[in-house]
Amino acid sequence: MARVTTRHAGTESELAELRSKYVPRGITSSHPIAADRARGSELWDTTGKRYIDFAGGIGVMNVGHAHPRVMRAVRDQLEKATHTSFQVVQYESYLRLAQRLCDAAPIAGDKKAIFFSTGAEAIENAVKIARAATGREAVISFRGAFHGRTLLALSLTGSVQPYKQNFGPYAAEVYQTPFPYSYRGWNTEAALADLGNLLESEVGPKRVAAIVIEPVLGEGGFVPAPFDFMQKLRELCDRYGILLIADEIQTGFGRTGKLFAVEHSRVEPDLMTVAKSLAAGFPLSAVIGKAAVMDAPDPGGLGGTYGGNPVACAAGLAVMDVMRDEKLPERAARIGSVVEERMRTWAAETELVGEVRGLGAMMGMELVRDRKTKEPADSETAKILAAARDKGLIILRCGVHHNVIRTLMPLTIPDEQLEEGLDILGAALGA
Ligand SMILES: Cc1ncc(COP(=O)(O)O)c(C=O)c1O
């Protein structure tokens, strides 16, 4: 493949100097390398070193870097128009993608979809829509949840370090309850009991507009919500007229073995937020939901200059085609079973692996210093990621205690590269 050279190709030390001089320390990078180019499931840094990519730009590249069909769709759109703002002049790709998402969303009846640019924006707007539809103010989210870094999304986020420190006061009428995270003490019954207590002692259910849940806790540690918990949550929402919002921003687009993770539990949310792998790296997010709920805000109440950018929508349409034609949800299930088998082998070999869990290719491994006390092995996790990187694998961690190694490789990854990446991870773990 012809190597594309950048006009300003700085040395590693030049880049490091630029970063420390001009970029605030508040934004960090998991790995101290600079990307030059990426294709499929491989990434090359500016020194020419090759890596297997198990991070996919934080779960964004489910169809792989530079998928030819996405690139073609984007190139075609670039030739036509890069931006008109849907709020000024509409365009067909927005409307077609809205139709595709509504058809694909696991919600019965008429549906509608609206586009934004980031995950946080989708969350903010889902809450606005829920409030307008119910005439209620309160919103409930879960401890350990991550919903984004804007103020309302951050208020809904249930993890202090590094997200919430120093940034208060937070939005009013946000309440938090434990996620059903059985490894750390909350099974379905315990989590439901705590939610019941919250509704009795802090916020009456008739004041609650929505409950927002990630069907698999993402940044919070790759913890799948038990399906019976999701079903009980749906029942509770129905009982009190509360809207259920599924945040599918990280779980979406085939990652868990279905297009959307809620499909595993057969629970129908009222609203869903999607972003990340929706458009293969082009900034695009959406809220999809029941038509009557989505139509609650008055005309002009929703939008944003860039929301549903035409280049991003063209990418999104191509992603939907690739998902279908390459059967990527099925491929995710296969990848997940390969990864899980390896992780279970490591768990049998080393005490460091406290729990292996996940759904489809969204697999995580929680590392602990002691299996009884479950003391989080956070510094050990950091060392393993660094060792893996040195050996040629880009992989991320997550978890409130920063001790969960998670897999977010492109679902198009060839078997040999999947094995190669797992071999590197296994060697890093052993070291
Ligand atoms: C479940 C979930 N919701 C929301 C967000 C926020 O998305 P963004 O970073 O695009 O604002 C993320 C990002 O990681 C996420 O994983």
Side-chain angles (χ1 to χ4, degrees):
M1 185 186 315
R3 175 149 181 195
V4 184
T5 44
T6 31
R7 201 146 50 91
H8 305 286
T11 62
E12 267 180 291
S13 62
E14 277 170 335
L15 299 184
E17 203 181 309
L18 286 172
R19 179 164 186 153
S20 83
K21 187 142 191 243
Y22 296 111
V23 179
R25 65 193 185 103
I27 181 157
T28 55
S29 299
S30 304
H31 295 285
I33 58 173
D36 180 38
R37 66 194 203 281
R39 288 287 179 278
S41 310
E42 295 168 295
L43 184 151
W44 288 263
D45 73 11
T46 46
T47 69
K49 180 169 171 176
R50 165 195 176 261
Y51 301 84
I52 302 279
D53 184 8
F54 273 17
I58 326 184
V60 170
M61 304 309 297
N62 284 3
V63 300
H65 295 280
H67 192 289
R69 291 177 75 175
V70 176
M71 300 293 273
R72 200 176 319 127
V74 164
R75 266 189 221 109
D76 288 350
Q77 183 58 45
L78 281 173
E79 295 300 326
K80 290 185 184 164
T82 54
H83 175 77
T84 63
S85 187
F86 192 77
Q87 288 169 233
V88 180
V89 178
Q90 67 173 11
Y91 35 89
E92 189 170 347
S93 55
Y94 188 116
L95 307 172
R96 294 271 173 223
L97 188 57
Q99 179 188 31
R100 292 284 291 271
L101 289 180
C102 288
D103 288 348
I107 301 173
D110 290 341
K111 285 156 272 181
K112 291 195 173 185
I114 178 167
F115 294 104
F116 303 97
S117 302
T118 65
E121 237 187 315
I123 287 286
E124 299 263 343
N125 280 281
V127 171
K128 282 167 64 178
I129 293 166
R131 284 179 169 163
T134 57
R136 304 175 182 182
E137 292 176 354
V139 188
I140 296 175
S141 64
F142 290 84
R143 289 197 203 140
F146 182 77
H147 296 295
R149 295 174 186 267
T150 54
L151 203 54
L152 177 55
L154 194 55
S155 305
L156 291 163
T157 289
S159 173
V160 172
Q161 280 296 347
Y163 310 118
K164 291 184 93 158
Q165 89 289 36
N166 309 329
F167 298 133
Y170 292 103
E173 290 305 325
V174 170
Y175 299 86
Q176 267 171 356
T177 189
F179 190 89
Y181 184 174
S182 61
Y183 185 67
R184 298 256 167 218
W186 274 278
N187 59 17
T188 292
E189 289 68 36
L192 285 170
D194 275 323
L195 175 56
N197 287 339
L198 176 75
L199 294 172
E200 265 171 25
S201 60
E202 281 192 64
V203 56
K206 292 276 158 76
R207 285 218 297 116
V208 180
I211 297 179
V212 188
I213 187 164
E214 294 163 83
V216 181
L217 204 58
E219 300 302 306
F222 273 35
V223 188
F227 302 154
D228 62 337
F229 181 84
M230 292 298 294
Q231 287 149 6
K232 296 266 167 44
L233 204 57
R234 180 68 268 180
E235 284 166 28
L236 184 140
C237 287
D238 289 343
R239 199 173 324 134
Y240 297 115
I242 297 170
L243 298 179
L244 183 61
I245 303 177
D247 180 347
E248 292 262 6
I249 287 168
Q250 191 156 166
T251 50
F253 290 89
R255 167 75 32 201
T256 67
K258 305 251 184 217
L259 197 58
F260 301 108
V262 275
E263 293 176 57
H264 291 279
S265 64
R266 299 182 191 282
V267 161
E268 286 188 19
D270 299 290
L271 294 167
M272 293 169 61
T273 52
V274 294
K276 289 194 185 277
S277 276
L278 165 61
F282 292 88
L284 188 67
S285 65
V287 181
I288 315 159
K290 292 183 174 160
V293 173
M294 293 292 289
D295 271 335
D298 287 336
L302 301 174
T305 305
Y306 298 108
N309 167 272
V311 181
C313 283
L317 282 166
V319 165
M320 296 294 285
D321 289 343
V322 172
M323 283 281 150
R324 180 196 57 211
D325 296 347
E326 297 187 20
K327 298 190 172 48
L328 292 188
E330 288 91 325
R331 173 80 184 137
R334 164 88 193 118
I335 291 172
S337 61
V338 171
V339 174
E340 182 172 358
E341 203 183 311
R342 279 294 191 104
M343 286 183 169
R344 295 216 178 275
T345 308
W346 297 328
E349 286 166 3
T350 164
E351 294 275 304
L352 195 61
V353 181
E355 188 175 58
V356 171
R357 56 176 180 251
L359 197 56
M362 195 168 175
M363 288 301 303
M365 191 164 62
E366 176 151 359
L367 305 187
V368 289
R369 291 196 183 121
D370 178 324
R371 281 189 173 169
K372 280 208 183 69
T373 64
K374 299 180 180 174
E375 186 190 346
D378 53 347
S379 54
E380 293 84 343
T381 307
K383 280 189 195 142
I384 291 164
L385 298 196
R389 179 188 63 243
D390 290 346
K391 295 173 196 295
L393 174 71
I394 301 289
I395 186 163
L396 297 175
R397 61 175 163 166
C398 61
V400 174
H401 307 293
H402 317 292
N403 64 328
V404 179
I405 296 182
R406 56 170 157 172
T407 61
L408 288 168
M409 66 285 283
L411 303 176
T412 49
I413 189 168
D415 286 341
E416 321 78 72
Q417 288 178 15
L418 178 61
E419 296 293 342
E420 188 185 342
L422 289 170
D423 288 348
I424 295 174
L425 183 56
L429 197 64

